[in-house]
Amino acid sequence: MAQFINPFSDWGFKHIFGREISKDLLICFLNDLFAGEFVIKSLAFGNKEQIGLSKDSREVIFDIYCTTDEGKEIIVEMQNRGQEHFIDRALYYTSRVIVNQGIKGEWDYDIRPVYTICFMNFIDPLLPFGKFRTDMILADRDNGKMVSDKIRMVYLMLPFFEKTETECETDFERWIFVLKNMNTFERMPFLAKNAVFKKLAEISDLRTLSKKDMDKYEDSIRIMRDAYATYKYAIKTGLEDGRKQGLEEGMAQGIEKGMAQGMAQGMAQGIEKGIEKGMAQGIEKGMAQGIEKGKAEAEHLKNIEFAKLMLSDGDSTEKIQRYTGLTAEEINEIAQSLH
């Protein structure tokens, strides 16, 4: 049975990192996150509600917002479910904090650095696939050299962190391993590695929560589970609707394509059969016309021979015309051929 709170519930995350009593946990985590770059000695929690520049501007509420002893402003966000524009959301949050640094009147635009750290319990397709940590800065596109340190966004995609307890080599890796798996632990690991994990175990132990805090935690867990159930249902219904729509569109396209192919095949077959039938009718008509022409030619030849006999008997041209139907010219040509 789990002994520690789920840090990815809204209440649990803020219980660990967002209270004065546990501020040193946040400082340790941030120092391990930015190890080798700078060291945070202290920090102060700020107002998590960022009011817009005008009364019509939308209010922004952060999970955790603080300022370091060196003046760096840090936003820490925890997100369990993906959003279409999550990368842009982080940019918007970061930009709002920068804009709110503006001073009325004379001002030389000397802004303080703003860093946003995003715990992501999902995979965002816009970030490099398979990469757990992605740091975005303002840099030259060609040489990668940083142009300004005033804005930075750190995306931590937890599904891509796959190290086991024994494989964790740095305190930052140990932090991520613990946060990702803490709600399944019966004991807190790494107690001998760093005292911070002992304090984390004390603060996150479910048995030490007051009834009031336990009620808040359970409400937070219920909200998180309801959100997950809604998310899964949306995926399921979306798939079902997609299959139904795909089937309907597929059938419509199939019918349309089938009709087009059927018409094309029908026209081809019709043309072929038409040609066959036309040829048959042409042959039949040609034969009939040939027979008729043959009969006419045979009758004409018979009349010519009959005309020759009548000329030999001394019959007149007019008489021969009446009996044979030949013209006077034809009869004269026949008479000349006899001499």
Side-chain angles (χ1 to χ4, degrees), residues 235-257:
I235 292 177
K236 180 181 179 182
T237 54
L239 289 172
E240 291 175 352
D241 291 344
R243 291 192 190 99
K244 183 179 179 181
Q245 184 177 351
L247 180 61
E248 292 174 353
E249 291 179 358
M251 288 178 65
Q253 291 177 2
I255 292 171
E256 183 179 352
K257 188 174 181 180

Side-chain angles (χ1 to χ4, degrees), residues 10 69 90 105 123 132 252 288 297-298 303:
D10 183 64
D69 53 296
I123 296 173
F132 158 62
E297 289 179 355
N303 289 331

Side-chain angles (χ1 to χ4, degrees), residues 22-253:
S22 58
K23 184 187 295 183
D24 52 337
L25 293 180
L26 180 59
I27 293 174
C28 287
F29 172 77
L30 293 175
N31 281 333
D32 290 332
L33 176 69
F34 296 112
E37 298 184 48
F38 55 84
V39 176
I40 300 172
K41 297 179 180 178
S42 63
L43 56 79
F45 289 115
N47 185 3
K48 293 181 289 185
E49 298 181 5
Q50 293 286 308
I51 308 301
L53 297 179
S54 68
K55 63 179 182 179
D56 297 326
S57 297
R58 182 178 179 182
E59 183 181 273
V60 172
I61 301 177
F62 304 132
D63 286 340
I64 294 173
Y65 171 60
C66 59
T67 304
T68 72
D69 53 296
E70 294 182 341
K72 293 182 175 67
E73 300 191 39
I74 297 179
I75 304 165
V76 184
E77 285 285 300
M78 182 274 298
Q79 185 74 18
N80 277 310
R81 300 286 164 253
Q83 296 180 1
E84 183 179 0
H85 302 292
F86 182 76
I87 304 301
D88 294 338
R89 169 186 163 178
L91 177 60
Y92 174 74
Y93 277 16
T94 308
S95 301
R96 279 289 290 270
V97 175
I98 292 175
V99 170
N100 285 343
Q101 293 181 23
I103 299 174
K104 292 182 179 181
E106 293 184 357
W107 182 47
D108 60 358
Y109 296 98
D110 182 20
I111 60 175
R112 298 180 297 278
V114 178
Y115 294 172
T116 298
I117 297 100
C118 300
F119 286 93
M120 302 164 62
N121 221 0
F122 61 95
I123 296 173
D124 193 298
L126 296 180
L127 296 176
F129 186 81
K131 188 179 181 185
F132 158 62
R133 174 176 176 171
T134 300
D135 287 56
M136 291 190 179
I137 61 173
L138 288 178
D140 182 270
R141 185 183 64 178
D142 295 328
N143 60 28
K145 185 177 179 180
M146 184 170 63
V147 176
S148 172
D149 66 345
K150 304 302 183 181
I151 184 170
R152 179 170 176 179
M153 286 156 287
V154 182
Y155 299 99
L156 305 175
M157 286 196 289
L158 295 172
F160 289 136
F161 185 86
E162 299 177 343
K163 288 193 174 185
T164 63
E165 179 179 345
T166 56
E167 291 173 336
C168 294
E169 298 177 352
T170 66
D171 279 340
F172 175 65
E173 290 178 347
R174 295 182 186 104
W175 267 111
I176 300 302
F177 176 82
V178 168
L179 293 173
K180 184 176 180 180
N181 301 286
M182 191 164 70
N183 63 313
T184 65
F185 291 156
E186 293 184 3
R187 63 166 186 84
M188 180 67 68
F190 311 128
L191 296 179
K193 295 286 186 181
N194 193 321
V196 71
F197 295 109
K198 181 179 180 182
K199 181 165 184 178
L200 176 62
E202 294 172 354
I203 288 177
S204 59
D205 193 329
L206 289 170
R207 297 170 299 181
T208 64
L209 296 181
S210 65
K211 185 180 185 307
K212 182 179 179 180
D213 283 345
M214 180 60 78
D215 289 341
K216 291 179 179 178
Y217 173 66
E218 289 178 347
D219 284 343
S220 182
I221 290 294
R222 177 183 54 78
I223 292 171
M224 185 178 70
R225 288 172 177 170
D226 287 347
Y228 178 72
T230 302
Y231 169 76
K232 294 289 287 185
Y233 180 72
I235 292 177
K236 180 181 179 182
T237 54
L239 289 172
E240 291 175 352
D241 291 344
R243 291 192 190 99
K244 183 179 179 181
Q245 184 177 351
L247 180 61
E248 292 174 353
E249 291 179 358
M251 288 178 65
Q253 291 177 2

